[in-house]
């Protein structure tokens, strides 16, 4: 169970880093476009808006994942064991040699061969 929790935290961390990288990568591209426009308009509003948007987006990504990771509800151990037992039962049913089924299949094959 502890390994699963660590794996989930690593996944969240990777998703956070990926989202942050993407946000700031796009922001850098926007800043490259804004610099010539700032020189023409002589107004720093566009670069400031870009940096502010990237910062707000980054904070939102990191805070929302914190809330999600804290609210994860894992199944109790007894329910996990019950589900594992049910899966094992289904595997036994599916993999068992059903002689009646094999006989029916042979009958169908023989009837198809005669027709």
């Amino acid at each position: 169970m502890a390994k699963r929790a660590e794996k989930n935290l690593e996944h969240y961390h990777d998703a956070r880093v990926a989202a942050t990288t993407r946000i700031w990568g796009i922001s850098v591209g926007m800043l490259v476009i804004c610099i010539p426009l700032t020189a023409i308009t002589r107004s720093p509003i566009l670069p400031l808006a870009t940096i502010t948007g990237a910062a707000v987006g980054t904070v939102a990504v990191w805070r929302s994942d914190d809330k999600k990771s804290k609210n994860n509800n894992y199944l109790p151990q007894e329910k996990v064991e019950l589900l594992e037992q049910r899966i094992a039962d289904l595997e036994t049913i599916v993999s068992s040699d059903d002689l009646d089924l094999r006989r029916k299949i042979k009958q169908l094959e023989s009837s198809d061969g005669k027709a």
Side-chain angles (χ1 to χ4, degrees), residues 6 11 18 21 26 29 32-33 39-40 50 64 67 70 76 78 83 87 90-92 98-102 105-106 111:
E6 287 176 10
H11 172 72
T21 303
I26 291 170
V32 168
I33 294 170
I40 294 169
T50 302
S64 69
K67 291 176 186 173
K70 288 178 185 174
E78 60 190 32
L83 289 171
I87 290 171
L90 288 171
E91 287 174 343
T92 303
D98 188 0
L99 296 176
D100 187 42
L101 181 62
R102 288 184 183 209
I105 291 172
K106 284 183 182 181
S111 66

Side-chain angles (χ1 to χ4, degrees), residues 47-61:
L48 289 175
T50 302
I51 292 171
T52 303
V56 169
T58 302
V59 169
V61 165

Side-chain angles (χ1 to χ4, degrees), residues 15-16 66 84 91 95:
R16 290 178 185 172
D66 282 340
E84 287 175 349
E91 287 174 343
S95 64

Side-chain angles (χ1 to χ4, degrees), residues 14-35:
D14 291 343
R16 290 178 185 172
V17 171
T20 303
T21 303
R22 186 140 202 170
I23 288 169
W24 284 100
I26 291 170
S27 296
V28 168
M30 291 169 61
L31 284 172
V32 168
I33 294 170
C34 288
I35 290 172

Side-chain angles (χ1 to χ4, degrees), residues 16 62-72:
R16 290 178 185 172
W62 285 83
R63 286 205 176 170
S64 69
D65 276 347
D66 282 340
K67 291 176 186 173
K68 285 181 184 177
S69 64
K70 288 178 185 174
N71 291 333
N72 280 343

